[in-house]
Amino acid sequence: MSKFTLSRRTMLRGAVGTSLAALGLPLLEAMMNSHGTALAGGQPLPVRFLSWFFGNGVRLDQWVPSAALAGNNPDGDQPKFETGLFQGDAWQLSEELAPLAEVKEYLSVLSGFYNKAGQQNRRGHHDGAAGCLSGIPFIALDSGNANYASKFGGPTLDQVIVNRLQAQGVNTYLPSLHVGVSKRITTGEGPSLHHIAHKGPDEPIASVLSPQDVYDQLFGNFVPQDDPSGALRTAMLDAVAEDAKRLKQRVGKADQLRLDAHIDSVAQLRQQIAALPPTCTKPGSPTQTNEDTDGKEPLEEVAHVMADLVTLAYSCDLTRVATWQQSGSVGGTVYWMTGATTEEHGLSHEPGGQDLIHAAVVFNMTCFAYLLENLKNTQEGDSTLLDNSAITLVSDAAQGITHSNFDMPFVVAGKGGGKLKSDLHHRSANDRNSANNTSDILLSVLQCFDESATEVGADEGYSNTPLASIKA
Amino acid sequence: MRRLLARQYLNAIGDLLGPEAKAAATAPADQPLNGFDMIGAAQLNVGDVGVVEYEKSARAAASAAVDDGSRIDDYLTCTPSGPTDEACLDTFVRNFGRLAFRRTLADDEAADIVAVGVAAGEAYSSFDQALQYAVATALESPSFVYQVEVGESLPGDPTVRKLTSNELATRMSFFLIDSTPSADLLDMAESGTLDSAEGLRAAAESLVARPEAAQAVAAMYDEILGLRALPTITKSGELYPEFSPALAASMRQETLSLLSDVVFTRDADFTELFTSNHTFVDAGLASLYGVTAPPAGEWHEVTFPADQPRSGFFGQASFLSTQAHIELTSPTLRGKFVRERLLCQSINPPPNDVITEFPDDEGLKTMRERLQVHQENPSCAGCHSLTDPIGLSFENFDSIGRHRLTENDVTIDASGELDDQGNFADGAELADLLVNDPNFTDCLVRNVYRASLGHLETDGEEVVVEHLVGGFDDGGRRLRAFLVELVVSDAFRFVGAEQ
């Protein structure tokens, strides 16, 4: 039986709606020491992870914060910028990062890094997503004369962190939460483009696109202690697991592994049903839906309510790990609020469409900023949720027009519970051969959750060299 | 082991427990691999979210079924003496379980489910609750959720196993009618009727004759032809004011109507789906094509206007809209679709790190002129020489399928050459060449094979595929007959030995 790590007396007020920028939650306070700097038992405050993803890359000349070098071709494949480490007043937000002004002191913008995992199997977008989210080259599925498809080569960083936390005995109500905003996701080329979280090659994790479904995941499975259905449901799940175990004896190896995964998922649900209700008072259901109006997706509204829900999940310690799929790899999102009438992936390959791509990146950063500001405005003792978070932002390509694996857009936000430096721009290099591996960034973030972690990724994407510039 | 597709799971609950239960059920989303949900269903894990969904759905469906009561009574062949009548519940569980698991339950399997039911009967002092929990337990069990195909070993051949009769009945039922085998079909399986070639063929033919078979074929081609994209496509409101979600839904319905007409109403040569000069329209589509409209809300059959080179699916708005951009057509997308989906030829993506720069020249009026750079640049030509000539043949139709003779006041040239199959003047002539290309029927067979069996053909199966292609061609290319031939083929009745 799992236990909530949150105080029973902590109360959460308010209802989740479309605009709940500040819930003002007195979080974890009952469990904190008198200084508000750690839990009463002496353990540090929990650190939260979030992987924020958007598809189709950026416009590098408007994304990278440092000065363009002389002779730079702004429309070229790989524009060049001043390299080095710029901190505090020595760096300013670029045009595309400008929406993040309120949280600049929490950001590490990392440019000129090379997605080395992506050089192993080249396929635009597939290589970018797999390399930057997992540090592991994707697996190209033998397509013969069928449609191309690929799957991830291993777990994404969020699931690596889940495993590390569970090994430390941290079993939150949900191991991880996966939210999505745009519904125009490319599903036809396998899990690599479809999903941004993967337990492994054969278990992609879908983003939940409906705010109500996210709410139900967070609050829908609690059973009052005096309700007999709780014990009966766990008995049902035990029978289901028995059925799976009997089947395992009859099938081959590959199917045995699938049944093991099925049994694990059954155990996870069983744990949720047996869990005590959260100490937060349950907020009202969200009113915002993720339905189109006249073919237009309510992207901003959904992003806001998802940010509120993620903040709630962290506040109540229902989970410490989340992913956010703002838009898909090769995604077909139409950023109508920028004036675009064309789906983004197609637009990204049109030289004439690059101003609209730029506007879409700016829009996405306003959504990212809303989440970060939400976390920053949520006190947790003497610190804020953003102080106690380590958040990565990545895309599946540097610039959509070229699918380049070099100079990937990468941001780390939050102070990682004191383990991360911030308010900096580190430009690694202007050519891939002397650039740091994007997996170095993943390793530094992983170490916020487990200092004993020494490596991340695999094959070409392997790293055992954390990025020193962002480590406190 | 294949997880039931979402539609199969829901249909099975409907057949087992009635429409109320089906309406209450919800299924985890399918996940395609290599373009097919069924391949994903054979390979990927269910995941935490899937298990949560199955549990929620099983409880909701069981509750609705017990409230409704009518189908539950079919399995309740005893009268319960009280809320925890274990013997009567055991009878019920074995009756229902045989249908739900598509086989007779072993004693320990029945006992596990009965134990949950008895606990519920006791907790709520209600035999209905006992039934409800027993049904829900069965519905969320892997034995219901997965098609398990282990087979029996064959003397002398360790590499191949023969499906058991129950497994075969299950496979053919989910393939042909997208639902669980009926009690009658299970009886036939268990009495050995399906062991003979004639018995199996007769059973397959009777399934194909059911109305659900037409729905199953529609669902299969909804996937193969990319029609599922229609609810989410967007078009420029400025250029295409008549485009709407309702019109997109009609486009999908149009293609499925022609499919049903060719395969089930007329049992005609399947390639008519791609060459027919007839189609089915409602008022919105009639206006798009410039043909007589039926009364509002109705559909009728029409002939495409003679001055428009429309040919079956290739001339339908569904294909022309899905394989196009929001404002412009895309000969590349249209050609890529034909190559990949209808000829089973894999097309590589654009090379990495190359800017796909179109010449910004106002002198280039037509798409053909603008795409010429694809043919001249050697790093593009490798793939675009495969896709663009096919796609350019459909340039007489804009991004939502409206007919046009000119683009920017220049007459459109839709002519070209298809591999070594010959020259064509427009899309309609191309369609005639395509359906007679041996790759076309070969690919058609492969698509059905993949969608039904959930894997790409292995080397050892090529012989079977060739045999099926031959039979399909010789039989006048009738899809209904082919579905039966696939069921009676070795590929359908045998599985590779598990590793």
Side-chain angles (χ1 to χ4, degrees), chain A residues 75-78 122-125 127 141-151 175 183-184 187-191 194-195 199 201-206 208 213 216-217 221 227-229 232-233 235-244 246-247 250-259 261-262 264-266 268-269 272-273 295 334 341-343 346 349-351 401-405 432, chain B residues 1-3 30-36 39-49 51-52 54-56 58-59 101 103 108-110 112-113 116 119-121 123-124 133 136-137 140-146 148 150 167 231-237 245 325-328 336 340-341 343-358 442 446 450 456-457 462 498-499:
Chain A
D75 295 325
D77 177 16
Q78 287 181 357
R122 296 308 310 275
R123 178 103 184 184
H125 300 279
D127 47 20
L141 294 174
D142 180 12
S143 60
N145 44 17
N147 279 39
Y148 184 82
S150 88
K151 55 188 184 181
K183 303 178 294 295
R184 304 291 199 272
T187 59
E189 292 193 20
H194 193 164
H195 305 290
K199 278 195 188 179
D202 294 320
E203 194 167 331
I205 305 174
V208 182
D213 288 350
D216 288 345
Q217 278 198 356
N221 259 324
D227 182 341
S229 74
L232 291 170
R233 285 171 67 192
M236 280 169 53
L237 290 169
D238 291 341
V240 167
E242 283 307 310
D243 183 51
R246 277 189 292 262
L247 270 184
R250 296 171 50 208
V251 300
K253 259 214 188 77
D255 287 339
Q256 286 175 16
L257 292 175
R258 293 176 74 203
L259 286 166
H262 196 123
D264 287 348
S265 292
V266 166
Q268 175 56 40
L269 174 57
Q272 285 178 31
I273 292 168
V334 180
T341 56
T342 302
E343 58 87 20
H349 284 288
E350 309 267 353
I401 194 167
T402 56
H403 302 150
S404 174
N405 265 318
R432 65 188 67 204
Chain B
M1 204 174 72
R2 284 178 285 148
R3 202 146 64 85
D30 295 322
Q31 164 69 57
L33 277 184
N34 295 125
F36 291 93
I39 297 183
Q43 290 187 27
L44 299 174
N45 296 342
V46 57
D48 291 356
V49 171
V51 163
V52 168
Y54 279 137
E55 200 244 2
K56 189 172 128 198
R59 293 170 62 221
F101 290 5
R103 58 179 170 75
D108 55 350
E109 291 178 314
D112 277 355
I113 298 173
V116 176
Y124 293 103
Y133 273 85
T137 305
E140 62 174 300
S141 291
S143 289
F144 172 68
V145 166
Y146 295 95
V148 182
V150 177
E167 288 169 348
T232 56
I233 64 169
T234 323
K235 297 290 172 185
S236 160
H325 295 306
I326 290 176
E327 293 178 332
L328 299 175
K336 182 170 181 276
E340 290 190 336
R341 270 283 138 140
L343 297 174
C344 291
Q345 296 166 351
S346 206
I347 300 292
N348 289 325
N352 289 292
D353 305 343
V354 168
I355 295 185
T356 47
E357 187 103 41
F358 280 146
D442 180 83
R446 286 178 197 276
R450 292 163 184 169
L456 300 179
E457 316 78 58
E462 284 298 332
E498 296 274 0
Q499 303 292 302

Side-chain angles (χ1 to χ4, degrees), chain A residues 14-276:
Chain A
V16 179
T18 52
S19 57
L20 281 184
L23 281 163
L25 309 169
L27 298 167
L28 292 162
E29 273 181 1
M31 292 184 74
M32 286 182 198
N33 66 14
S34 56
H35 305 292
T37 52
L39 296 179
Q43 305 101 316
L45 289 171
V47 183
R48 280 70 162 209
F49 174 75
L50 186 135
S51 163
W52 207 95
F53 178 93
F54 64 108
N56 302 322
V58 297
R59 294 287 309 150
L60 286 171
D61 59 314
Q62 288 154 302
W63 171 268
V64 176
S66 59
L69 296 185
N72 206 12
N73 170 12
D75 295 325
D77 177 16
Q78 287 181 357
K80 297 178 170 53
F81 303 89
E82 202 178 336
T83 57
L85 181 60
F86 309 89
Q87 293 174 275
D89 294 339
W91 79 289
Q92 298 303 322
L93 294 168
S94 63
E95 253 181 272
E96 290 185 353
L97 291 163
L100 295 158
E102 289 293 313
V103 289
K104 174 176 178 278
E105 62 176 304
Y106 289 89
L107 303 182
S108 290
V109 177
L110 304 163
S111 75
F113 284 69
Y114 182 27
N115 166 21
K116 290 189 180 172
Q119 68 188 326
Q120 195 149 318
N121 298 321
R122 296 308 310 275
R123 178 103 184 184
H125 300 279
H126 295 253
D127 47 20
C132 290
L133 293 168
S134 74
I136 304 170
F138 69 84
I139 297 171
L141 294 174
D142 180 12
S143 60
N145 44 17
N147 279 39
Y148 184 82
S150 88
K151 55 188 184 181
F152 269 44
T156 42
L157 184 63
D158 52 290
Q159 295 306 303
V160 173
I161 291 171
V162 165
N163 290 338
R164 293 266 176 179
L165 290 177
Q166 287 179 340
Q168 295 162 23
V170 175
N171 287 297
T172 48
Y173 176 69
L174 287 177
S176 51
L177 178 69
H178 305 273
V179 305
V181 176
S182 175
K183 303 178 294 295
R184 304 291 199 272
I185 303 295
T186 291
T187 59
E189 292 193 20
S192 295
L193 295 190
H194 193 164
H195 305 290
I196 63 159
H198 303 254
K199 278 195 188 179
D202 294 320
E203 194 167 331
I205 305 174
S207 303
V208 182
L209 298 164
S210 146
Q212 180 66 46
D213 288 350
V214 173
Y215 177 87
D216 288 345
Q217 278 198 356
L218 292 172
F219 299 104
N221 259 324
F222 292 109
V223 185
Q225 292 297 294
D226 55 354
D227 182 341
S229 74
L232 291 170
R233 285 171 67 192
T234 55
M236 280 169 53
L237 290 169
D238 291 341
V240 167
E242 283 307 310
D243 183 51
K245 285 177 196 159
R246 277 189 292 262
L247 270 184
K248 263 184 74 180
Q249 294 166 7
R250 296 171 50 208
V251 300
K253 259 214 188 77
D255 287 339
Q256 286 175 16
L257 292 175
R258 293 176 74 203
L259 286 166
D260 280 337
H262 196 123
I263 290 166
D264 287 348
S265 292
V266 166
Q268 175 56 40
L269 174 57
R270 190 186 192 287
Q271 202 176 54
Q272 285 178 31
I273 292 168
L276 295 171

Side-chain angles (χ1 to χ4, degrees), chain B residues 256-276:
Chain B
L256 295 177
S257 297
L258 181 60
L259 174 76
S260 173
D261 176 61
V262 170
V263 179
F264 290 97
T265 309
R266 294 190 288 116
D267 196 11
D269 182 327
F270 185 69
T271 60
E272 285 191 25
L273 178 62
F274 302 92
T275 58
S276 167

Side-chain angles (χ1 to χ4, degrees), chain B residues 239-262:
Chain B
L239 294 177
Y240 309 108
E242 64 269 65
F243 186 84
S244 66
L247 184 65
S250 296
M251 293 175 180
R252 186 181 196 175
Q253 186 54 50
E254 178 197 3
T255 299
L256 295 177
S257 297
L258 181 60
L259 174 76
S260 173
D261 176 61
V262 170

Side-chain angles (χ1 to χ4, degrees), chain B residues 356-375:
Chain B
T356 47
E357 187 103 41
F358 280 146
D360 189 16
D361 182 346
E362 300 219 332
L364 302 176
K365 301 288 190 194
T366 64
M367 191 57 87
R368 180 179 292 273
E369 290 169 326
R370 290 192 290 277
L371 291 184
Q372 187 56 32
V373 67
H374 280 162
Q375 308 299 326

Side-chain angles (χ1 to χ4, degrees), chain B residues 153-400:
Chain B
S153 61
L154 292 173
D157 188 349
T159 62
V160 171
R161 295 167 69 89
K162 182 172 181 284
L163 290 183
T164 67
S165 302
N166 285 59
E167 288 169 348
L168 180 59
T170 301
R171 181 182 265 205
M172 66 194 283
S173 185
F174 277 113
F175 169 46
L176 293 174
I177 60 166
D178 262 342
S179 190
T180 196
S182 64
D184 287 348
L185 187 58
L186 287 178
D187 288 345
M188 285 166 70
E190 287 166 13
S191 67
T193 308
L194 305 183
D195 292 343
S196 76
E198 306 76 41
L200 179 60
R201 181 177 292 276
E205 276 168 354
S206 91
L207 283 174
V208 168
R210 286 174 50 172
E212 295 91 334
Q215 289 169 28
V217 166
M220 183 161 65
Y221 276 91
D222 205 29
E223 178 173 52
I224 292 174
L225 298 178
L227 306 179
R228 291 173 182 182
L230 279 161
T232 56
I233 64 169
T234 323
K235 297 290 172 185
S236 160
E238 203 176 316
L239 294 177
Y240 309 108
E242 64 269 65
F243 186 84
S244 66
L247 184 65
S250 296
M251 293 175 180
R252 186 181 196 175
Q253 186 54 50
E254 178 197 3
T255 299
L256 295 177
S257 297
L258 181 60
L259 174 76
S260 173
D261 176 61
V262 170
V263 179
F264 290 97
T265 309
R266 294 190 288 116
D267 196 11
D269 182 327
F270 185 69
T271 60
E272 285 191 25
L273 178 62
F274 302 92
T275 58
S276 167
N277 66 350
H278 290 255
T279 193
F280 296 85
V281 296
D282 62 2
L285 290 167
S287 159
L288 188 78
Y289 295 145
V291 294
T292 315
E298 291 182 27
W299 288 73
H300 69 181
E301 188 172 3
V302 294
T303 305
F304 282 132
D307 59 350
Q308 300 181 12
R310 293 189 194 265
S311 184
F313 175 65
F314 296 125
Q316 290 185 333
S318 59
F319 165 68
L320 297 165
S321 299
T322 49
Q323 309 304 324
H325 295 306
I326 290 176
E327 293 178 332
L328 299 175
T329 62
S330 176
T332 303
L333 284 180
R334 288 174 179 173
K336 182 170 181 276
F337 179 88
V338 170
R339 288 280 177 194
E340 290 190 336
R341 270 283 138 140
L342 302 178
L343 297 174
C344 291
Q345 296 166 351
S346 206
I347 300 292
N348 289 325
N352 289 292
D353 305 343
V354 168
I355 295 185
T356 47
E357 187 103 41
F358 280 146
D360 189 16
D361 182 346
E362 300 219 332
L364 302 176
K365 301 288 190 194
T366 64
M367 191 57 87
R368 180 179 292 273
E369 290 169 326
R370 290 192 290 277
L371 291 184
Q372 187 56 32
V373 67
H374 280 162
Q375 308 299 326
E376 287 163 2
N377 181 336
S379 75
C380 305
C383 295
H384 284 280
S385 63
L386 294 172
T387 55
D388 295 1
I390 290 179
L392 286 167
S393 78
F394 304 119
E395 272 300 287
N396 285 125
F397 305 103
D398 68 16
S399 170
I400 64 165

